[in-house]
Amino acid sequence: MDPWTKRGFGIMVQVALLLSSWHGTSGEDMCDSALVSTLPPSSFRSSSQLSSSHAPGFARLNRREGAGGWSPLTSDRYQWLEVDLGERTTITAVATQGRYGSSDWLTSYLLMFSDTGHNWKQYRREDSIGAFPGNSNADSVVQYKLQQPVIARLLRLTPLDWNPNGRIGLRLETYGCPYTSDVVSFDGDDSALVYRLSSRLRRTTREVVSLKFKTLRNSGTLLSAGGQRGLSLSLELERGKLQLLLRQGSWGAGASSQRSLRERGHNVHCRTTRGTLSSEPQQLASLGSLLDDQHWHHVVLERRGAHLNLTVDERTEKVQIPAEFNHWDVEQIAVGAVLSLDSEKPAISRWNFHGCLENLLCNDLNVIQLAKHHHHQVTAVGNLTFSCAETVSIAVTFPGPHSFLQLPGPMTSASGGFSIRFQFRTWNKAGLLLTFGLPQQTGTVWLHLSEARLQLQIHKDGRALLELRAGSALNDGQWHLVDFTSRRGRLSIALDKEEGGVAHASPSFPIRTGRQLFFGGCPAEDNDPGCRNPFDSFQGCMRLLSVDEKAVDLITVQQRLLGNYSQLQIDMCGIIDRCSPSRCEHGGRCSQTWTVFHCNCSDSGYSGATCHSSVYEQSCEAYKHSGNTSGHFYIDVDGSGPIQPQQVYCNMTEVNTWMVLLHNNTELTRVRPSPGVNQHSVHFDYSSQEEQLSAVISQSEHCEQELSYHCRKSRLLNTPEGSPFSWWLGGPGPGHLQTYWGGAHPGSQQCACGLQGDCVDPQHYCNCDADRADWAEDSGMLTHKENLPIRSLVLGDVQRPGSEAAYHVGPLRCHGDKNFWNAAFFDKETSYLHFPTFHGELSADISFLFKTTASSGVFLENLGIKDFIRIELSSSTQVVFSFDVGNGPLEVHVESSVPLNDNRWHRVRAERNVKEAVLRLDGLPAATQEAPADGHFYLQLNSQLFIGGTASRQKGFRGCIRSLQLNGVTLDLEERAKITPGVRPGCPGHCSSYGSLCQNQGRCVERASGFQCDCGLSAHTGVFCHTEVSASFQSGTSVSYTFKEPYELIRNSSALPSSVHSDGALRGENVSLSFRTSQSPALLLYVSSYSTEYLALLINKNDKLELRYKLDSSREADVLRSSVRSLANGQLHFVTIRRRTDSVSVQVDDNPREDFNLTFDGEFNDIKSVVLGKVYESDDLDPDLSRLASLGFTGCLSVVLFNSISPLKAALLHPDNSPVVVTGPLVQSNCGSLASANPYAAEDTHHLSDQSGSMGSGQPLVNAIRTDSALIGGVIAVVIFVVVSGLVVTGRFLYRRKETYQNQDVKGVKQDDSQDFTFNTQMDPQNVSSENPREFFI
């Protein structure tokens, strides 16, 4: 044949292939022809028949011949009807009918398909339901359209249930169309196809390779595509999974080798030995499971732009093409092996594919047809056949706990040995594989799985004679070969030809099998007392059983001609991989048994049966309203959605709750010029991922980020030409160019001073643009969310001589969770909101808060044709979650012990997945409803989603619904409520639910969205009035709060009304404080009056609390002493004092309350001041109290409250607008916190005198200078600090010695270990009180 003829023939072949593919595609649209009605009777087979007139040949739809259909001899679940369609055919539907004129029909059945009459495969719908609905009478036709068409030659129908008043009776029809295919078989040794692509076809925008394959081996290379630079992609089976691998190495048949391929032809060699390539493969995707089941599996590999789509059967995975493949063309494809040219002989490798391929299409060209016609682009290598020669392998499935297979034992041999061999596969860790009795020893042999290991046990009379173990992880779903032999006194068990492990023993007693072998389990004890199983029954598959090297014919067993069995599925392996695809979400790890799967959610941040629900809140706002304080938290912005949790800092110290997201440089950083570089560019990497940042910004009401520039002769934005020297990029992704600065508006090319009109040079819009030699600054907040966060910064004017600059980009800060307070109020039972259909087919979680005064109402409802989902308040104490996914209605309910219609917020969380449904209400225990093991699990809804009511407008909800989220997506109730009659946006009244969060006499104040704690009457501060206000006192420190008018003391007082006299005198008071000190005696608090009356709280010389009341200037002071000891021990103590007329109660810490009575039922008149620490005006005091007051107090005072007055809080937080005078050093500290390990530590303190600082001539204070001089400056600073500290310590020591001599006459103060206490005296008990006041003891 001349070259022109060959070329023309090739073109004709390609055109014919394209036309045939177009024809096949159009034929699929009309694939509904009847397939059974024209078949001869010989095409029908059955397990049995009741009579010749009930033969399977009469089982045609709507036919009345014979007895009007097929009926078996006995009606049980072991019967079947089989139809041979003559050739592989596309089957799209099945119809059934009962036997004509009878009471015999099926109510449910199974469908199985096969190409060979063996290795049947059960058809399952998308939700793994195996059973098909049958008939309800003998005449009506029930047709079921297959969700996925099946290609097979033989169909088998197995009855499951039938009319209880009749027997099995059946007529059927199947619908479909012819199926054509091209098949090639590979022997797994040296066979392969090599397809070389035409150069004009290489560069295409879409490249597709599709094929079908079937195999018995769990490993092997399907195809490998190679091209330039030694790059290749391959599809390889590994342990029954299909992997897409990338290899970088020496591709043996590149473009330079094509001539060699044509010359050598069959000398092209295919191998996948790992040494052929220069690097280990990179796995790009892995799909499928149990693909070595000898059934056809469809594979499509598609290249679209920068992505690869790998499809195996019905599942697709999309992967990003590595950068190396951006300009990579496929030159040739090796099918069945990885191509190599480094050997003169074909390489035999266990990695070569052994099985059949069908309809191999490369960009719509049928490669197998090209090979059949010896096309020049395809080279056949090795032993290839263009048909599918299948090895018949009969498997048996043990589906349940009562399954067993009984076979006769081996014939007794002269040597007394035996050999039993079989393969098994399972997901279970335990189960009996084989057992038999020892006839001579009257013992039992058990071969079973234990903890996924093979274990052999021989017992006699309850005593273990022998135990052997081999293998591990045998519950991996792979086929494992077991050899159990006994020869010449040596017993052995071997796994996978000893590759999986082997164990030997030489027992002292003979091992012979009994007359019967039991596989998988035992019959019921009353049927066969000779078989005993103390273990779990085996659930899995077995095949290739042999006894004494003789294969067991399982078809003969199925026909009841050999052995016995119960509840087996013969000639099929019914194993299902419930973890492929995995139903575990968010990275949960899937494991399984034969019947169920489990999800391990540890370290995923999610919980539930399928790891669906996030364990974290969605915002800092939500954490705050759970009672948390500032700190680092994980937040999950979309709940159960795909965005992963992220760690942020939540600042809850202000009215707004700030979420802080850091990046890699939040310090003030000096810019150093780089030689030859005119611009300084810096990129900011955030601790959160891109989708996390976008979600946080989107759901927040306000976001901001500080941007500042410190400059000296370094211009910023404005230039004579109008183009800026510097700019920044911000917003989603890499960001968009922005030419405005912090505090200005987008697009203005200004700084904050330009907007405000106060720049240092009015001719410019930025301070730095004045180009002065003095330090200047342009800073402010960026608040336009669409331009946040700042991604990068470019500074242009940093190279000139004398130019200096520093920049600061603060963290991203956001507050206000738009979702958390999004609410709607439903004021009528007939009102509702509607939204698009909720799609939660496999997993659905719904969460919201509600409050109501009604006793019932529907919160949410969505309907389908049969399916539905609903959550409702069924009574004043019960919430019900009901749904139907096709298995019938199910309900989950939670009962509350308190009424739910109390007009307070209650939280509802409902989740439904393929394993269970869960309902949670507030903090009550969750209610759970498990899903049926083999039931429907797809939730199919099609109506609108109704909120606050139903489609029928009955049983509507009256009240508020807030923060409604479905699968992590918040529904905007407020926006929808604005346009819906009977529904109002928002919902006031949060203090009834959250008011308890306001602690320590804090008052809850309602806000439009949320609430606020007013701490004006509390000695505490903070967002929940929970933060202690504490200070460290020294001996000279004094805090004096002076009352301007008598009525000020009783204003907003917590005292009872009866305690206040008409002229403003107090008939009672409440005093509370915390202290920590090692000084005794010590005055804690002193309350003076314009008369000589006073109240003094002190620690006496015995380290006890002492309270002195002088309410009458003509009488002595009443002295009340507590019995609690050791109060000057340096620990934190709490004191509460309450007086009502002459009754006084004192409580110290958690000790019992102590009650006292004063000698005078008087009033506290004309109160002047409350003094903490040293009392400088002590003229009216008793002499001994005056001496004690002059000593001052050294230690910690915290949360001081006198009625409604907080003198310490006023001094520390409001010194400018409070009548308070501070003398001496007063240091705010956390010493009043129980968590404070060292109450006098200085690192967490704040000095009042340090509230403002100076930067000298305006130079920025750079906290983290990223220059080479930073280290030198740090060292110099440390040296200076050490020297100065030494001088201070020396001077303080000299001063203390002088002070000690000056105060030798002061007595009554105990020496303390702390350096802050300067007094050293011994107690003189006679000098405590010269007036000998009246004392009270308890």
Side-chain angles (χ1 to χ4, degrees):
M1 185 180 295
D2 61 86
W4 288 103
T5 305
K6 290 182 178 180
R7 183 178 180 184
F9 176 75
I11 294 175
M12 293 174 60
V13 169
Q14 295 186 19
V15 171
L17 292 175
L18 287 172
L19 292 175
S20 64
S21 63
W22 294 339
H23 175 74
T25 303
S26 61
E28 291 179 357
D29 297 335
M30 299 296 294
C31 191
D32 56 1
S33 301
L35 304 176
V36 172
S37 58
T38 59
L39 293 176
S42 59
S43 298
F44 297 82
R45 294 177 61 239
S46 65
S47 53
S48 64
Q49 59 188 44
L50 183 61
S51 68
S52 59
S53 60
H54 296 79
F58 297 115
R60 296 182 181 87
L61 198 70
N62 295 321
R63 303 290 285 271
R64 302 181 182 182
E65 293 88 353
W70 166 73
S71 288
L73 181 62
T74 57
S75 292
D76 57 36
R77 292 190 173 186
Y78 297 108
Q79 308 303 319
W80 47 265
L81 175 68
E82 181 181 307
V83 180
D84 185 353
L85 300 176
E87 59 183 357
R88 295 183 67 208
T89 305
T90 300
I91 303 171
T92 59
V94 177
T96 60
Q97 194 177 27
R99 191 167 61 82
Y100 175 74
S102 72
S103 299
D104 305 338
W105 62 81
L106 303 181
T107 57
S108 65
Y109 60 91
L110 299 179
L111 272 181
M112 289 181 284
F113 299 93
S114 173
D115 286 344
T116 62
H118 296 291
N119 190 32
W120 293 89
K121 183 174 184 178
Q122 181 180 339
Y123 181 87
R124 291 181 176 270
R125 288 177 270 177
E126 289 184 358
D127 48 9
S128 292
I129 299 296
F132 285 79
N135 302 87
S136 57
N137 54 55
D139 296 323
S140 61
V141 177
V142 175
Q143 180 174 326
Y144 185 86
K145 185 175 182 179
L146 303 184
Q147 293 171 332
Q148 295 296 332
V150 173
I151 300 172
R153 174 181 172 179
L154 298 105
L155 174 146
R156 178 177 285 187
L157 188 149
T158 301
L160 288 179
D161 296 292
W162 48 90
N163 179 19
N165 298 319
R167 57 189 309 121
I168 294 174
L170 177 64
R171 289 175 286 174
L172 86 162
E173 180 61 270
T174 61
Y175 302 91
C177 57
Y179 177 77
T180 58
S181 66
D182 293 287
V183 182
V184 62
S185 293
F186 300 86
D187 62 5
D189 293 332
D190 61 351
S191 55
L193 285 176
V194 180
Y195 172 57
R196 293 171 298 282
L197 277 71
S198 174
S199 58
R200 65 179 182 276
L201 297 178
R202 290 179 193 167
R203 179 64 67 177
T204 59
T205 58
R206 177 177 179 266
E207 297 172 322
V208 181
V209 176
S210 63
L211 59 90
K212 289 185 177 182
F213 75 91
K214 68 189 313 185
T215 182
L216 278 173
R217 287 188 183 176
N218 65 358
S219 298
T221 301
L222 288 181
L223 61 85
S224 182
Q228 308 102 323
R229 303 188 303 277
L231 299 177
S232 66
L233 284 173
S234 61
L235 287 175
E236 300 183 19
L237 278 175
E238 178 65 32
R239 296 177 61 83
K241 297 178 181 292
L242 190 61
Q243 297 180 345
L244 176 61
L245 302 178
L246 162 66
R247 284 190 170 86
Q248 301 181 19
S250 56
W251 174 256
S256 62
S257 303
Q258 292 188 25
R259 179 169 51 186
S260 176
L261 281 168
R262 289 192 294 268
E263 292 174 352
R264 293 160 56 178
H266 65 277
N267 289 329
V268 175
H269 309 302
C270 301
R271 60 164 55 181
T272 57
T273 52
R274 300 306 185 198
T276 301
L277 300 171
S278 62
S279 63
E280 286 296 317
Q282 174 188 352
Q283 179 177 302
L284 301 180
S286 179
L287 278 179
S289 179
L290 308 175
L291 300 179
D292 57 339
D293 58 359
Q294 208 172 4
H295 292 289
W296 289 107
H297 296 282
H298 187 214
V299 179
V300 179
L301 180 61
E302 179 183 18
R303 177 181 178 180
R304 280 183 176 268
H307 292 89
L308 285 173
N309 295 331
L310 175 62
T311 300
V312 178
D313 295 330
E314 302 303 323
R315 187 183 174 200
T316 300
E317 184 171 341
K318 184 177 182 179
V319 296
Q320 181 78 27
I321 294 179
E324 306 93 300
F325 284 79
N326 288 341
H327 304 285
W328 179 75
D329 288 332
V330 178
E331 294 181 346
Q332 58 190 20
I333 297 175
V335 183
V338 171
L339 187 63
S340 175
L341 291 175
D342 60 352
S343 175
E344 291 299 323
K345 296 182 179 179
I348 300 175
S349 170
R350 67 186 183 95
W351 300 105
N352 289 353
F353 178 70
H354 182 268
C356 302
L357 260 62
E358 177 183 75
N359 291 348
L360 173 58
L361 302 179
C362 181
N363 292 337
D364 295 327
L365 288 178
N366 192 322
V367 177
I368 298 178
Q369 274 203 17
L370 293 177
K372 287 182 179 179
H373 294 89
H374 306 288
H375 194 273
H376 69 276
Q377 288 183 254
V378 181
T379 301
V381 180
N383 185 21
L384 284 177
T385 57
F386 293 101
S387 63
C388 188
E390 299 186 51
T391 303
V392 176
S393 176
I394 308 299
V396 57
T397 304
F398 297 76
H402 304 293
S403 303
F404 75 91
L405 170 62
Q406 178 182 343
L407 295 176
M411 300 294 293
T412 303
S413 63
S415 62
F418 64 87
S419 171
I420 301 174
R421 175 181 294 182
F422 60 91
Q423 289 184 355
F424 74 90
R425 72 190 315 175
T426 184
W427 301 116
N428 291 357
K429 290 185 177 181
L432 179 67
L433 295 174
L434 170 66
T435 182
F436 56 85
L438 295 175
Q440 295 182 350
Q441 302 295 325
T442 63
T444 305
V445 176
W446 290 299
L447 184 64
H448 65 101
L449 291 175
S450 176
E451 293 300 319
R453 300 189 65 195
L454 187 64
Q455 183 167 351
L456 175 67
Q457 290 182 293
I458 301 178
H459 279 223
K460 179 182 179 182
D461 300 329
R463 182 171 58 92
L465 301 180
L466 179 66
E467 288 191 6
L468 294 177
R469 293 181 178 86
S472 62
L474 300 178
N475 63 329
D476 56 0
Q478 304 297 311
W479 284 109
H480 295 284
L481 174 63
V482 178
D483 279 303
F484 181 21
T485 59
S486 176
R487 291 284 187 269
R488 300 180 180 87
R490 184 174 177 83
L491 190 67
S492 69
I493 51 174
L495 273 166
D496 301 327
K497 298 181 180 179
E498 300 190 2
E499 291 183 7
V502 62
H504 304 281
S506 299
S508 59
F509 51 90
I511 304 294
R512 292 195 178 105
T513 64
R515 292 181 299 175
Q516 301 293 334
L517 304 176
F518 295 91
F519 292 86
C522 289
E525 292 186 1
D526 54 348
N527 294 334
D528 196 325
C531 181
R532 187 170 62 90
N533 180 19
F535 311 104
D536 294 332
S537 295
F538 174 72
Q539 289 179 294
C541 300
M542 292 188 185
R543 71 180 183 186
L544 302 179
L545 283 77
S546 65
V547 179
D548 280 350
E549 307 299 332
K550 183 179 180 181
V552 176
D553 187 351
L554 290 175
I555 298 301
T556 306
V557 174
Q558 184 183 35
Q559 297 170 350
R560 302 285 183 178
L561 301 177
L562 177 66
N564 189 21
Y565 67 91
S566 176
Q567 298 188 20
L568 296 183
Q569 295 173 343
I570 298 178
D571 207 1
M572 65 174 293
C573 179
I575 189 171
I576 299 174
D577 191 343
R578 302 177 189 273
C579 290
S580 180
S582 175
R583 304 298 183 190
C584 303
E585 303 178 50
H586 301 109
R589 297 181 296 277
C590 183
S591 62
Q592 61 186 311
T593 64
W594 184 260
T595 55
V596 297
F597 72 92
H598 304 275
C599 294
N600 183 352
C601 306
S602 59
D603 302 325
S604 69
Y606 297 84
S607 63
T610 59
C611 311
H612 178 77
S613 299
S614 179
V615 300
Y616 304 114
E617 299 287 0
Q618 292 186 246
S619 66
C620 291
E621 190 88 4
Y623 276 112
K624 170 185 173 181
H625 290 86
S626 298
N628 293 280
T629 57
S630 299
H632 287 91
F633 295 89
Y634 277 96
I635 65 167
D636 195 333
V637 289
D638 67 339
S640 60
I643 301 177
Q644 293 296 308
Q646 58 182 314
Q647 189 181 50
V648 302
Y649 181 78
C650 296
N651 184 353
M652 306 178 190
T653 60
E654 304 176 26
V655 174
N656 293 319
T657 303
W658 290 95
M659 184 187 306
V660 183
L661 293 89
L662 300 176
H663 56 77
N664 59 329
N665 181 18
T666 57
E667 308 284 350
L668 182 59
T669 305
R670 179 164 293 169
V671 179
R672 283 183 59 87
S674 300
V677 179
N678 294 326
Q679 294 177 335
H680 180 84
S681 178
V682 59
H683 179 74
F684 301 100
D685 294 321
Y686 289 81
S687 57
S688 300
Q689 299 176 0
E690 173 63 28
E691 62 271 15
Q692 295 171 335
L693 286 170
S694 299
V696 167
I697 294 173
S698 174
Q699 79 173 24
S700 299
E701 294 179 354
H702 172 83
C703 290
E704 64 182 32
Q705 196 166 11
E706 183 182 5
L707 177 60
S708 64
Y709 189 62
H710 300 261
C711 56
R712 185 163 67 179
K713 291 191 69 63
S714 178
R715 293 161 295 180
L716 184 59
L717 293 181
N718 303 120
T719 63
E721 298 81 13
S723 57
F725 288 107
S726 304
W727 61 87
W728 54 277
L729 300 177
H736 303 288
L737 190 144
Q738 309 293 335
T739 58
Y740 70 101
W741 212 249
H745 296 311
S748 63
Q749 199 168 320
Q750 294 183 8
C751 299
C753 69
L755 183 66
Q756 299 166 4
D758 57 357
C759 294
V760 295
D761 186 344
Q763 296 181 357
H764 296 280
Y765 298 106
C766 295
N767 291 321
C768 290
D769 289 337
D771 200 20
R772 296 186 176 183
D774 297 330
W775 280 99
E777 177 185 354
D778 285 301
S779 63
M781 289 292 180
L782 302 172
T783 59
H784 293 80
K785 294 200 304 180
E786 61 272 14
N787 296 334
L788 296 177
I790 300 174
R791 301 289 183 173
S792 57
L793 184 64
V794 179
L795 304 174
D797 191 21
V798 294
Q799 298 294 328
R800 292 184 299 151
S803 294
E804 293 185 72
Y807 64 87
H808 169 65
V809 175
L812 177 67
R813 290 165 27 102
C814 298
H815 74 74
D817 185 352
K818 294 190 296 185
N819 300 333
F820 190 75
W821 297 109
N822 192 296
F825 175 69
F826 302 81
D827 57 4
K828 299 179 181 178
E829 288 189 1
T830 57
S831 59
Y832 61 84
L833 298 177
H834 60 85
F835 291 87
T837 305
F838 173 46
H839 293 284
E841 287 78 8
L842 295 176
S843 294
D845 76 276
I846 304 169
S847 66
F848 59 90
L849 294 100
F850 77 91
K851 69 173 185 175
T852 184
T853 57
S855 59
S856 64
V858 175
F859 299 120
L860 173 149
E861 181 182 82
N862 206 160
L863 306 177
I865 298 177
K866 294 182 179 179
D867 297 359
F868 73 89
I869 188 169
R870 182 186 301 115
I871 304 176
E872 63 181 308
L873 181 69
S874 61
S875 70
S876 61
T877 58
Q878 188 181 75
V879 174
V880 176
F881 174 35
S882 55
F883 59 93
D884 188 353
V885 295
N887 304 312
L890 293 176
E891 283 190 357
V892 189
H893 58 83
V894 175
E895 187 80 26
S896 173
S897 59
V898 297
L900 300 174
N901 57 343
D902 55 358
N903 204 29
R904 303 183 63 175
W905 288 114
H906 298 278
R907 187 177 185 183
V908 175
R909 289 172 293 170
E911 179 185 349
R912 180 259 153 197
N913 53 59
V914 297
K915 287 182 67 69
E916 64 182 16
V918 182
L919 178 64
R920 293 179 174 87
L921 173 64
D922 295 333
L924 299 174
T928 304
Q929 173 72 56
E930 291 189 3
D934 292 314
H936 297 272
F937 53 74
Y938 276 91
L939 177 64
Q940 299 177 353
L941 306 174
N942 55 22
S943 75
Q944 289 182 321
L945 170 65
F946 291 88
I947 306 298
T950 64
S952 62
R953 298 200 173 192
Q954 297 178 355
K955 300 175 64 177
F957 172 73
R958 287 187 297 112
C960 292
I961 297 179
R962 194 185 100 217
S963 188
L964 175 60
Q965 296 181 335
L966 284 76
N967 278 350
V969 178
T970 300
L971 300 187
D972 195 342
L973 302 178
E974 293 186 354
E975 284 299 317
R976 190 61 60 93
K978 292 177 182 178
I979 58 174
T980 304
V983 186
R984 299 200 300 267
C987 190
H990 304 296
C991 283
S992 60
S993 300
Y994 297 110
S996 59
L997 294 177
C998 299
Q999 307 169 24
N1000 303 303
Q1001 302 180 37
R1003 184 172 60 91
C1004 183
V1005 179
E1006 292 285 351
R1007 298 176 62 190
S1009 294
F1011 71 99
Q1012 179 181 349
C1013 292
D1014 181 1
C1015 306
L1017 301 180
S1018 172
H1020 292 69
T1021 187
V1023 65
F1024 295 131
C1025 309
H1026 62 286
T1027 303
E1028 299 87 354
V1029 179
S1030 310
S1032 296
F1033 282 68
Q1034 297 184 17
S1035 59
T1037 305
S1038 174
V1039 175
S1040 176
Y1041 187 99
T1042 303
F1043 299 100
K1044 297 179 180 180
E1045 298 181 18
Y1047 69 85
E1048 182 183 359
L1049 178 67
I1050 62 174
R1051 180 169 50 90
N1052 295 325
S1053 174
S1054 60
L1056 296 176
S1058 60
S1059 303
V1060 183
H1061 198 266
S1062 60
D1063 60 0
L1066 289 180
R1067 301 181 62 188
E1069 56 274 335
N1070 295 325
V1071 181
S1072 62
L1073 58 85
S1074 300
F1075 68 90
R1076 190 195 298 258
T1077 187
S1078 298
Q1079 174 187 342
S1080 66
L1083 182 63
L1084 300 177
L1085 176 143
Y1086 173 69
V1087 183
S1088 66
S1089 68
Y1090 288 97
S1091 61
T1092 57
E1093 300 174 5
Y1094 67 83
L1095 181 158
L1097 180 65
L1098 56 94
I1099 301 174
N1100 63 22
K1101 62 181 181 180
N1102 299 317
D1103 288 0
K1104 294 183 178 181
L1105 190 72
E1106 188 171 298
L1107 180 63
R1108 297 188 183 186
Y1109 264 107
K1110 189 172 184 178
L1111 302 182
D1112 188 344
S1113 58
S1114 63
R1115 297 191 180 196
E1116 297 179 351
D1118 288 330
V1119 179
L1120 315 177
R1121 293 194 178 97
S1122 170
S1123 62
V1124 180
R1125 300 176 179 273
S1126 303
L1127 296 182
N1129 60 357
Q1131 302 297 315
L1132 189 65
H1133 299 283
F1134 302 88
V1135 177
T1136 302
I1137 300 169
R1138 183 182 180 90
R1139 180 182 75 89
R1140 292 295 175 267
T1141 62
D1142 63 340
S1143 298
V1144 180
S1145 64
V1146 178
Q1147 184 168 9
V1148 181
D1149 297 332
D1150 294 328
N1151 297 289
R1153 190 185 69 182
E1154 302 172 290
D1155 295 319
F1156 304 89
N1157 288 319
L1158 300 178
T1159 58
F1160 176 69
D1161 183 7
E1163 301 171 346
F1164 201 166
N1165 298 298
D1166 302 329
I1167 293 178
K1168 178 181 179 182
S1169 63
V1170 177
V1171 181
L1172 307 175
K1174 186 173 183 177
V1175 181
Y1176 284 93
E1177 298 179 1
S1178 58
D1179 297 338
D1180 297 333
L1181 293 177
D1182 299 332
D1184 63 327
L1185 189 59
S1186 177
R1187 289 192 299 270
L1188 185 60
S1190 65
L1191 298 179
F1193 172 75
T1194 303
C1196 172
L1197 288 178
S1198 177
V1199 291
V1200 181
L1201 188 66
F1202 180 80
N1203 285 347
S1204 62
I1205 303 301
S1206 303
L1208 186 59
K1209 180 179 177 181
L1212 292 173
L1213 303 183
H1214 311 289
D1216 297 331
N1217 54 7
S1218 300
V1220 62
V1221 176
V1222 178
T1223 305
L1226 180 67
V1227 180
Q1228 185 173 351
S1229 171
N1230 66 347
C1231 60
S1233 172
L1234 287 174
S1236 176
N1238 182 1
Y1240 309 115
E1243 57 268 17
D1244 292 327
T1245 61
H1246 173 69
H1247 293 263
L1248 294 180
S1249 60
D1250 293 336
Q1251 289 184 351
S1252 61
S1254 173
M1255 294 172 57
S1257 61
Q1259 181 175 357
L1261 178 63
V1262 182
N1263 295 324
I1265 301 295
R1266 297 171 181 254
T1267 66
D1268 297 335
S1269 62
L1271 180 61
I1272 299 174
V1275 172
I1276 294 174
V1278 170
V1279 172
I1280 294 175
F1281 175 77
V1282 171
V1283 173
V1284 173
S1285 299
L1287 294 175
V1288 171
V1289 171
T1290 304
R1292 186 173 181 83
F1293 174 77
L1294 296 175
Y1295 174 77
R1296 285 173 181 251
R1297 290 182 58 85
K1298 177 180 179 180
E1299 190 179 36
T1300 301
Y1301 289 118
Q1302 291 176 345
N1303 292 279
Q1304 286 180 351
D1305 58 330
V1306 181
K1307 298 182 180 181
V1309 181
K1310 182 176 63 178
Q1311 176 68 31
D1312 186 77
D1313 295 335
S1314 173
Q1315 294 297 322
D1316 291 319
F1317 299 111
T1318 61
F1319 305 100
N1320 183 13
T1321 63
Q1322 295 295 325
M1323 178 69 66
D1324 183 359
Q1326 301 300 323
N1327 294 331
V1328 173
S1329 176
S1330 60
E1331 297 181 352
N1332 193 19
R1334 184 178 181 86
E1335 299 178 351
F1336 293 87
F1337 297 90
I1338 60 172

